[in-house]
Amino acid sequence: MPQGDQLDDVASIRKRPGMYVGDTDRSGVHQLLWEVLANAIDEHLAGRSRRIDVTLHSDGSVSVADDGAGISLDVDEGGTSWLERVLTTLHDTATADGHAPHVHLRVCHVGLCMVTALSSTFSAEVRRAGRAWRIELERGRVTSELAEIGSADGTGTTIRFEPDETIFATSGFDVEVVARRVREISALLPGLTTSFACERHEHGADLEVADLLASSRQGAREHRAPVKGEARHGEAVARVAFEWRNWPVAPSVIGYCNLDVSPEGSHIDGFRRGLARALGRRDHRQVYASLSVGLNAVLSVLVIDPGYQGPTKERISSQDARAAVAEATARGLERALESDPALRGHTARLTRPR
């Protein structure tokens, strides 16, 4: 890889960091972490990883470790490893190597080069074939070439970095934000165990979407247990959990698309349609208006390359997402209505003509 190309990419990112991470405040610092997390999540989605550990260190750095296959160490004709290329050059495709499935956390997704360029220190340790390898960078420049550092148990990648305080107004991480995000990811990805270091909160593989239902909601549940459903349609997988509480407040419906909160779009419409379908109704808007009293819901959809409306990518537009969420909602509610008389009575009261 020509040295000039590397410098061009790094210099471009450091000159206009806002183009890559949004604001250069704490939200930008978190965006660096989400980029690293996205790569670890890809390993899980590909079936190669079952655990991700996130640690906030006392020196201001953060590390993300996974038990996946480990980033490739293959060397090209010019003598540059794939690992170094990923860490020092931008790519203009969804992923550097075109792998799928892949998720993007938030709107920036230009790869790990963004993280190395905006970090004062960065290291990557890769465990493959019983050996461990390490490379170190500072502000996007390699300071310690890739080298074997000894034997290793298992496989995986550990990335540790410290955001550059000359770039970010606040280079520290918000503990609550990171802890909540790590917990959300575990709940939204069945089979994945995550841990967050600071206070060592571990979120097991048995965590599920229902665990994200707001615990602060007032009032008691109107029925036996949360309604849960799961379905796949095309390239979308949906999981939902919802309940009704005897407190007449505005509905709380939290939607996720590819692990990010997405408050509007096809998945929300699919949830409303699924409620109506389970009750044998077609007028989903009217049915939702009736059922929204005391409603508390969380719905998640994973979909490859969803469409978005608007520059902030907050409103998704995907027929697969709509269909998958509608199916998951309808299935879950139909099963619950069959087994829970209290739920049947409550939904009947809410939808009774007035």
Side-chain angles (χ1 to χ4, degrees):
M1 175 183 59
Q3 184 72 2
D5 290 347
Q6 175 183 338
L7 293 176
D8 285 346
D9 285 345
V10 170
S12 175
I13 296 170
R14 291 185 61 81
K15 184 176 181 179
R16 298 181 178 86
M19 292 180 60
Y20 299 89
V21 295
D23 296 327
T24 53
D25 56 12
R26 184 163 282 173
S27 65
V29 170
H30 289 154
Q31 180 57 49
L32 299 183
L33 176 54
W34 307 155
E35 190 74 40
V36 175
L37 266 173
N39 281 270
I41 290 168
D42 285 353
E43 288 293 287
H44 173 71
L45 293 177
R48 296 188 292 262
S49 171
R50 299 183 63 83
R51 186 179 184 92
I52 297 174
D53 298 307
V54 179
T55 304
L56 296 184
H57 299 281
S58 59
D59 63 0
S61 66
V62 61
S63 62
V64 177
D66 66 64
D67 61 352
I71 299 175
S72 174
L73 302 173
D74 291 347
V75 177
D76 63 18
E77 295 178 355
T80 301
S81 69
W82 175 256
L83 174 61
E84 181 178 339
R85 187 183 309 126
V86 167
L87 298 180
T88 56
T89 59
L90 293 170
H91 56 80
D92 56 6
T93 55
T95 63
D97 59 358
H99 69 264
H102 173 71
V103 297
H104 293 312
L105 307 186
R106 295 294 178 192
V107 299
C108 305
H109 37 77
V110 293
L112 292 175
C113 178
M114 175 189 76
V115 184
T116 65
L118 300 180
S119 297
S120 56
T121 61
F122 181 103
S123 66
E125 181 180 310
V126 175
R127 300 173 295 281
R128 294 172 67 98
R131 308 301 294 173
W133 299 74
R134 183 181 177 88
I135 188 173
E136 297 179 358
L137 302 92
E138 293 182 4
R139 297 180 172 89
R141 275 44 168 206
V142 175
T143 55
S144 293
E145 298 288 344
L146 180 64
E148 185 177 337
I149 59 174
S151 60
D153 294 328
T155 61
T157 301
T158 299
I159 287 176
R160 181 168 177 171
F161 68 93
E162 182 177 356
D164 189 348
E165 61 183 9
T166 67
I167 296 291
F168 297 100
T170 301
S171 59
F173 295 90
D174 186 313
V175 175
E176 295 297 326
V177 169
V178 176
R180 182 172 62 248
R181 195 71 179 107
V182 172
R183 182 174 185 271
E184 285 177 340
I185 288 170
S186 187
L188 298 173
L189 292 174
L192 175 67
T193 296
T194 65
S195 74
F196 172 65
C198 234
E199 296 178 358
R200 199 62 188 177
H201 298 301
E202 184 162 309
H203 313 304
D206 57 345
L207 204 63
E208 58 182 357
V209 172
D211 292 302
L212 297 180
L213 289 172
S215 59
S216 61
R217 294 280 289 180
Q218 300 184 53
R221 187 184 297 122
E222 293 280 10
H223 45 98
R224 219 162 39 203
V227 179
K228 297 183 285 187
E230 181 175 339
R232 177 187 294 272
H233 187 277
E235 295 186 333
V237 177
R239 297 178 180 89
V240 303
F242 51 99
E243 62 185 4
W244 283 271
R245 292 185 171 269
N246 61 358
W247 187 255
V249 295
S252 171
V253 179
I254 302 175
Y256 293 84
C257 177
N258 288 356
L259 312 184
D260 257 329
V261 174
S262 184
E264 300 179 0
S266 305
H267 55 324
I268 304 297
D269 182 60
F271 176 64
R272 296 170 179 171
R273 291 174 183 270
L275 293 175
R277 185 190 306 174
L279 298 179
R281 300 272 295 272
R282 293 185 178 181
D283 49 341
H284 64 276
R285 291 185 178 85
Q286 182 176 339
V287 170
Y288 179 75
S290 300
L291 292 178
S292 64
V293 178
L295 178 63
N296 184 25
V298 176
L299 50 112
S300 169
V301 62
L302 294 175
V303 58
I304 297 176
D305 294 330
Y308 291 94
Q309 296 176 359
T312 59
K313 296 188 176 182
E314 291 183 349
R315 184 181 182 89
I316 72 167
S317 177
S318 166
Q319 294 297 327
D320 283 350
R322 177 184 288 109
V325 174
E327 184 65 24
T329 303
R331 285 182 188 174
L333 184 52
E334 287 168 357
R335 285 195 302 267
L337 289 171
E338 290 177 359
S339 61
D340 190 344
L343 180 60
R344 288 199 300 271
H346 185 66
T347 55
R349 287 191 296 275
L350 289 177
T351 56
R352 185 178 300 137
R354 293 175 173 80

